[in-house]
Short mmCIF file of all heavy atoms in Angstrom, two decimals:
data_model
loop_
_atom_site.label_atom_id
_atom_site.label_comp_id
_atom_site.label_asym_id
_atom_site.label_seq_id
_atom_site.Cartn_x
_atom_site.Cartn_y
_atom_site.Cartn_z
N ASN A 74 -39.90 57.54 11.30
CA ASN A 74 -40.48 56.72 10.25
C ASN A 74 -41.39 57.51 9.30
O ASN A 74 -41.90 56.89 8.30
CB ASN A 74 -41.27 55.49 10.78
CG ASN A 74 -40.30 54.48 11.32
OD1 ASN A 74 -39.09 54.57 11.09
ND2 ASN A 74 -40.80 53.47 12.05
N ASN A 75 -41.76 58.72 9.61
CA ASN A 75 -42.62 59.43 8.71
C ASN A 75 -41.82 60.02 7.53
O ASN A 75 -41.10 61.01 7.66
CB ASN A 75 -43.33 60.54 9.46
CG ASN A 75 -44.30 61.31 8.54
OD1 ASN A 75 -44.59 60.92 7.45
ND2 ASN A 75 -44.90 62.40 9.07
N ARG A 76 -41.89 59.34 6.42
CA ARG A 76 -41.09 59.70 5.26
C ARG A 76 -41.83 60.81 4.45
O ARG A 76 -41.41 61.23 3.45
CB ARG A 76 -40.92 58.51 4.33
CG ARG A 76 -40.26 57.29 5.03
CD ARG A 76 -38.73 57.48 5.22
NE ARG A 76 -38.27 56.35 6.01
CZ ARG A 76 -37.43 56.39 7.01
NH1 ARG A 76 -37.01 57.60 7.38
NH2 ARG A 76 -37.00 55.39 7.70
N GLU A 77 -42.96 61.23 4.89
CA GLU A 77 -43.80 62.13 4.06
C GLU A 77 -43.66 63.59 4.47
O GLU A 77 -44.33 64.46 3.91
CB GLU A 77 -45.29 61.66 4.09
CG GLU A 77 -45.44 60.37 3.44
CD GLU A 77 -46.88 59.95 3.32
OE1 GLU A 77 -47.71 60.82 3.01
OE2 GLU A 77 -47.11 58.77 3.54
N ILE A 78 -42.81 63.92 5.45
CA ILE A 78 -42.62 65.33 5.73
C ILE A 78 -41.26 65.76 5.21
O ILE A 78 -40.34 64.99 5.10
CB ILE A 78 -42.74 65.68 7.20
CG1 ILE A 78 -41.77 64.92 8.10
CG2 ILE A 78 -44.15 65.61 7.74
CD1 ILE A 78 -41.47 65.59 9.46
N LYS A 79 -41.17 67.04 4.90
CA LYS A 79 -39.94 67.58 4.37
C LYS A 79 -39.10 67.89 5.62
O LYS A 79 -39.58 68.61 6.50
CB LYS A 79 -40.17 68.87 3.65
CG LYS A 79 -40.71 68.69 2.20
CD LYS A 79 -40.15 69.84 1.28
CE LYS A 79 -40.44 69.61 -0.12
NZ LYS A 79 -41.83 69.92 -0.50
N ARG A 80 -37.87 67.37 5.67
CA ARG A 80 -37.00 67.61 6.77
C ARG A 80 -36.20 68.93 6.55
O ARG A 80 -35.90 69.33 5.42
CB ARG A 80 -36.02 66.46 7.02
CG ARG A 80 -36.73 65.12 7.16
CD ARG A 80 -37.31 64.93 8.58
NE ARG A 80 -38.13 63.77 8.69
CZ ARG A 80 -38.69 63.33 9.79
NH1 ARG A 80 -38.48 63.98 10.96
NH2 ARG A 80 -39.39 62.27 9.84
N TYR A 81 -35.95 69.61 7.68
CA TYR A 81 -35.10 70.80 7.56
C TYR A 81 -34.27 70.92 8.87
O TYR A 81 -34.65 70.38 9.90
CB TYR A 81 -35.98 72.07 7.46
CG TYR A 81 -36.65 72.49 8.72
CD1 TYR A 81 -36.09 73.40 9.63
CD2 TYR A 81 -37.89 71.91 9.09
CE1 TYR A 81 -36.71 73.67 10.81
CE2 TYR A 81 -38.51 72.17 10.24
CZ TYR A 81 -37.91 73.10 11.15
OH TYR A 81 -38.49 73.42 12.35
N ARG A 82 -33.12 71.58 8.74
CA ARG A 82 -32.47 72.04 9.96
C ARG A 82 -31.90 73.33 9.67
O ARG A 82 -31.43 73.65 8.60
CB ARG A 82 -31.45 71.01 10.46
CG ARG A 82 -30.25 70.70 9.60
CD ARG A 82 -29.24 69.86 10.35
NE ARG A 82 -29.67 68.51 10.67
CZ ARG A 82 -29.45 67.39 9.88
NH1 ARG A 82 -28.84 67.56 8.71
NH2 ARG A 82 -29.83 66.22 10.29
N LEU A 83 -32.01 74.24 10.67
CA LEU A 83 -31.44 75.64 10.51
C LEU A 83 -29.95 75.61 10.81
O LEU A 83 -29.54 74.81 11.65
CB LEU A 83 -32.15 76.65 11.43
CG LEU A 83 -33.68 76.73 11.26
CD1 LEU A 83 -34.22 77.83 12.29
CD2 LEU A 83 -34.11 77.06 9.87
N SER A 84 -29.21 76.43 10.08
CA SER A 84 -27.77 76.58 10.40
C SER A 84 -27.64 77.35 11.70
O SER A 84 -28.51 78.09 12.13
CB SER A 84 -27.07 77.32 9.24
OG SER A 84 -27.58 78.61 9.20
N VAL A 85 -26.41 77.21 12.27
CA VAL A 85 -26.09 77.96 13.50
C VAL A 85 -26.27 79.45 13.26
O VAL A 85 -26.82 80.20 14.04
CB VAL A 85 -24.65 77.64 13.95
CG1 VAL A 85 -24.17 78.62 14.97
CG2 VAL A 85 -24.61 76.18 14.49
N LYS A 86 -25.81 79.86 12.08
CA LYS A 86 -25.92 81.28 11.71
C LYS A 86 -27.40 81.73 11.69
O LYS A 86 -27.74 82.81 12.20
CB LYS A 86 -25.29 81.46 10.26
CG LYS A 86 -24.79 82.87 10.00
CD LYS A 86 -23.99 82.81 8.78
CE LYS A 86 -24.13 84.14 8.01
NZ LYS A 86 -23.66 84.05 6.63
N LYS A 87 -28.23 80.89 11.11
CA LYS A 87 -29.68 81.26 11.01
C LYS A 87 -30.29 81.31 12.39
O LYS A 87 -31.11 82.12 12.68
CB LYS A 87 -30.35 80.19 10.11
CG LYS A 87 -31.81 80.52 9.85
CD LYS A 87 -31.92 81.59 8.72
CE LYS A 87 -33.32 82.03 8.59
NZ LYS A 87 -33.49 83.25 7.69
N ILE A 88 -29.93 80.32 13.23
CA ILE A 88 -30.51 80.28 14.60
C ILE A 88 -30.12 81.62 15.33
O ILE A 88 -30.97 82.26 15.98
CB ILE A 88 -29.99 79.04 15.36
CG1 ILE A 88 -30.46 77.82 14.66
CG2 ILE A 88 -30.46 79.07 16.82
CD1 ILE A 88 -29.92 76.50 15.28
N ILE A 89 -28.92 82.00 15.17
CA ILE A 89 -28.41 83.16 15.85
C ILE A 89 -29.13 84.42 15.40
O ILE A 89 -29.56 85.34 16.13
CB ILE A 89 -26.90 83.35 15.70
CG1 ILE A 89 -26.18 82.21 16.55
CG2 ILE A 89 -26.35 84.70 16.06
CD1 ILE A 89 -24.75 82.09 16.40
N LYS A 90 -29.37 84.40 14.03
CA LYS A 90 -30.11 85.52 13.42
C LYS A 90 -31.59 85.62 13.96
O LYS A 90 -32.09 86.64 14.25
CB LYS A 90 -30.13 85.36 11.89
CG LYS A 90 -30.25 86.66 11.14
CD LYS A 90 -29.88 86.45 9.69
CE LYS A 90 -30.68 87.41 8.87
NZ LYS A 90 -30.84 87.01 7.48
N CYS A 91 -32.22 84.45 14.05
CA CYS A 91 -33.62 84.39 14.51
C CYS A 91 -33.64 84.89 15.98
O CYS A 91 -34.61 85.62 16.37
CB CYS A 91 -34.10 82.97 14.45
SG CYS A 91 -34.40 82.42 12.78
N CYS A 92 -32.69 84.48 16.79
CA CYS A 92 -32.73 84.91 18.20
C CYS A 92 -32.47 86.47 18.29
O CYS A 92 -33.10 87.08 19.14
CB CYS A 92 -31.61 84.14 18.98
SG CYS A 92 -32.09 82.41 19.21
N LEU A 93 -31.60 86.92 17.40
CA LEU A 93 -31.39 88.41 17.41
C LEU A 93 -32.66 89.13 17.12
O LEU A 93 -32.99 90.12 17.77
CB LEU A 93 -30.22 88.74 16.40
CG LEU A 93 -30.03 90.23 16.18
CD1 LEU A 93 -29.48 90.89 17.51
CD2 LEU A 93 -28.97 90.49 15.10
N LEU A 94 -33.38 88.59 16.09
CA LEU A 94 -34.67 89.30 15.70
C LEU A 94 -35.65 89.25 16.84
O LEU A 94 -36.30 90.24 17.22
CB LEU A 94 -35.22 88.53 14.52
CG LEU A 94 -36.36 89.23 13.78
CD1 LEU A 94 -35.94 90.54 13.18
CD2 LEU A 94 -36.90 88.29 12.70
N ALA A 95 -35.71 88.06 17.55
CA ALA A 95 -36.63 87.96 18.73
C ALA A 95 -36.12 88.98 19.81
O ALA A 95 -36.97 89.64 20.45
CB ALA A 95 -36.54 86.54 19.23
N TYR A 96 -34.83 89.02 20.01
CA TYR A 96 -34.26 89.92 21.00
C TYR A 96 -34.73 91.39 20.72
O TYR A 96 -35.12 92.12 21.63
CB TYR A 96 -32.78 89.77 21.08
CG TYR A 96 -32.16 90.60 22.16
CD1 TYR A 96 -31.95 90.07 23.44
CD2 TYR A 96 -31.74 91.94 21.96
CE1 TYR A 96 -31.35 90.82 24.49
CE2 TYR A 96 -31.17 92.69 22.95
CZ TYR A 96 -31.03 92.15 24.20
OH TYR A 96 -30.47 92.88 25.26
N GLN A 97 -34.55 91.74 19.42
CA GLN A 97 -34.94 93.14 18.99
C GLN A 97 -36.37 93.44 19.22
O GLN A 97 -36.76 94.52 19.42
CB GLN A 97 -34.55 93.38 17.52
CG GLN A 97 -33.02 93.46 17.40
CD GLN A 97 -32.55 93.34 15.94
OE1 GLN A 97 -33.29 92.83 15.09
NE2 GLN A 97 -31.37 93.84 15.64
N HIS A 98 -37.19 92.37 19.21
CA HIS A 98 -38.66 92.59 19.53
C HIS A 98 -38.91 92.49 20.96
O HIS A 98 -40.05 92.55 21.39
CB HIS A 98 -39.48 91.60 18.76
CG HIS A 98 -39.64 92.03 17.29
ND1 HIS A 98 -38.85 91.55 16.26
CD2 HIS A 98 -40.49 92.90 16.76
CE1 HIS A 98 -39.19 92.11 15.15
NE2 HIS A 98 -40.16 92.99 15.38
N GLY A 99 -37.87 92.33 21.81
CA GLY A 99 -38.10 92.39 23.27
C GLY A 99 -38.06 91.08 24.04
O GLY A 99 -38.12 91.05 25.27
N TYR A 100 -37.96 89.99 23.32
CA TYR A 100 -37.92 88.66 23.98
C TYR A 100 -36.62 88.48 24.73
O TYR A 100 -35.57 88.89 24.24
CB TYR A 100 -38.03 87.52 22.91
CG TYR A 100 -39.42 87.45 22.39
CD1 TYR A 100 -39.73 88.06 21.13
CD2 TYR A 100 -40.40 86.66 22.95
CE1 TYR A 100 -41.01 87.93 20.56
CE2 TYR A 100 -41.66 86.51 22.45
CZ TYR A 100 -42.00 87.16 21.24
OH TYR A 100 -43.24 87.07 20.68
N ARG A 101 -36.74 87.97 25.99
CA ARG A 101 -35.51 87.72 26.76
C ARG A 101 -35.41 86.30 27.19
O ARG A 101 -34.64 85.95 28.07
CB ARG A 101 -35.59 88.60 28.03
CG ARG A 101 -35.38 90.13 27.68
CD ARG A 101 -33.98 90.43 27.03
NE ARG A 101 -33.83 91.78 26.62
CZ ARG A 101 -34.16 92.30 25.48
NH1 ARG A 101 -34.61 91.53 24.50
NH2 ARG A 101 -33.91 93.58 25.18
N THR A 102 -36.23 85.42 26.59
CA THR A 102 -36.02 83.96 26.66
C THR A 102 -36.13 83.32 25.30
O THR A 102 -37.05 83.59 24.58
CB THR A 102 -37.03 83.29 27.53
OG1 THR A 102 -36.93 83.69 28.94
CG2 THR A 102 -36.90 81.76 27.51
N PHE A 103 -35.07 82.65 24.87
CA PHE A 103 -35.11 81.86 23.62
C PHE A 103 -35.32 80.40 23.99
O PHE A 103 -34.48 79.88 24.76
CB PHE A 103 -33.85 81.96 22.79
CG PHE A 103 -33.33 83.42 22.71
CD1 PHE A 103 -32.06 83.71 23.02
CD2 PHE A 103 -34.13 84.49 22.29
CE1 PHE A 103 -31.51 85.04 22.97
CE2 PHE A 103 -33.67 85.75 22.15
CZ PHE A 103 -32.34 86.04 22.51
N VAL A 104 -36.27 79.78 23.38
CA VAL A 104 -36.49 78.33 23.55
C VAL A 104 -36.03 77.65 22.29
O VAL A 104 -36.68 77.84 21.26
CB VAL A 104 -37.90 77.95 23.93
CG1 VAL A 104 -38.04 76.40 24.17
CG2 VAL A 104 -38.39 78.69 25.17
N LEU A 105 -34.99 76.89 22.34
CA LEU A 105 -34.50 76.19 21.16
C LEU A 105 -34.99 74.78 21.21
O LEU A 105 -34.54 73.98 22.03
CB LEU A 105 -32.95 76.19 21.16
CG LEU A 105 -32.29 77.61 21.24
CD1 LEU A 105 -30.74 77.46 21.14
CD2 LEU A 105 -32.80 78.58 20.15
N GLN A 106 -35.88 74.47 20.26
CA GLN A 106 -36.52 73.09 20.31
C GLN A 106 -36.16 72.37 18.97
O GLN A 106 -36.16 72.94 17.91
CB GLN A 106 -38.01 73.21 20.52
CG GLN A 106 -38.58 71.84 20.78
CD GLN A 106 -40.07 71.87 21.10
OE1 GLN A 106 -40.86 71.82 20.20
NE2 GLN A 106 -40.41 71.97 22.36
N SER A 107 -36.03 71.08 19.08
CA SER A 107 -35.83 70.21 17.89
C SER A 107 -36.19 68.83 18.19
O SER A 107 -36.33 68.37 19.31
CB SER A 107 -34.34 70.31 17.52
OG SER A 107 -33.56 69.67 18.45
N GLY A 108 -36.22 67.99 17.11
CA GLY A 108 -36.32 66.57 17.32
C GLY A 108 -34.94 66.09 17.84
O GLY A 108 -34.02 66.91 17.98
#
Side-chain angles (χ1 to χ4, degrees):
N74 286 353
N75 183 7
R76 307 279 174 226
E77 294 185 41
I78 57 159
K79 283 213 171 80
R80 302 284 169 175
Y81 74 92
R82 64 170 68 91
L83 303 184
S84 64
V85 165
K86 204 167 149 197
K87 186 78 188 171
I88 298 172
I89 289 174
K90 205 167 150 200
C91 290
C92 289
L93 174 63
L94 192 63
Y96 185 89
Q97 286 165 339
H98 281 95
Y100 288 93
R101 292 296 177 268
T102 292
F103 314 128
V104 182
L105 306 182
Q106 190 177 88
S107 69

